[in-house]
Amino acid sequence: MNGIISLDGLLDFINSLSLDSRNKRWLGEKLIEEACKEEAEAIPSAGRFYGVWKDDDFPDMNADEMAKEIKASRKFKNHIEE
């Protein structure tokens, strides 16, 4: 079931449950944990940066072959013309 719920309505519902202070604290801590997980997942990994690769991307190549492949795939010049 999908729906829109207001935070005020959610708080009213939680208050209607007659939770003791220990249960309210537990609920609050769980909400904070979930928020922290979501924020941590939102941070981009270094693998998204330009020019980053992992060894699994070139499983059958040694270091020299990998370097040649990377240089060959560049779209810009390796030197500056005067």
Side-chain angles (χ1 to χ4, degrees), residues 1 8 12-13 15-16 19-20 24 27 33-34 37 41-42 47-48 50 52 56-57 60 62 67-68 73 78:
M1 177 177 146
D8 289 332
D12 290 341
F13 172 73
N15 286 332
S16 74
L19 300 173
D20 64 17
K24 287 179 182 178
L27 180 58
E33 285 176 17
E34 288 295 317
K37 285 179 189 175
E41 291 171 0
R48 293 186 180 187
Y50 176 79
V52 176
D56 294 343
D57 295 336
D60 299 325
N62 63 32
K68 283 182 187 177
S73 69
N78 290 331

Side-chain angles (χ1 to χ4, degrees), residues 29-67:
E29 289 171 355
K30 291 298 178 184
L31 289 171
I32 291 170
E33 285 176 17
E34 288 295 317
C36 289
K37 285 179 189 175
E38 290 174 9
E39 289 173 355
E41 291 171 0
I43 297 171
S45 70
R48 293 186 180 187
F49 299 135
Y50 176 79
V52 176
W53 64 91
K54 56 186 179 237
D55 290 341
D56 294 343
D57 295 336
F58 303 94
D60 299 325
M61 292 186 187
N62 63 32
D64 292 331
E65 292 170 338
M66 189 183 305

Side-chain angles (χ1 to χ4, degrees), residues 8-23:
D8 289 332
L10 181 60
L11 184 59
D12 290 341
F13 172 73
I14 291 169
N15 286 332
S16 74
L17 297 175
S18 301
L19 300 173
D20 64 17
S21 62
R22 187 178 69 142
N23 289 332

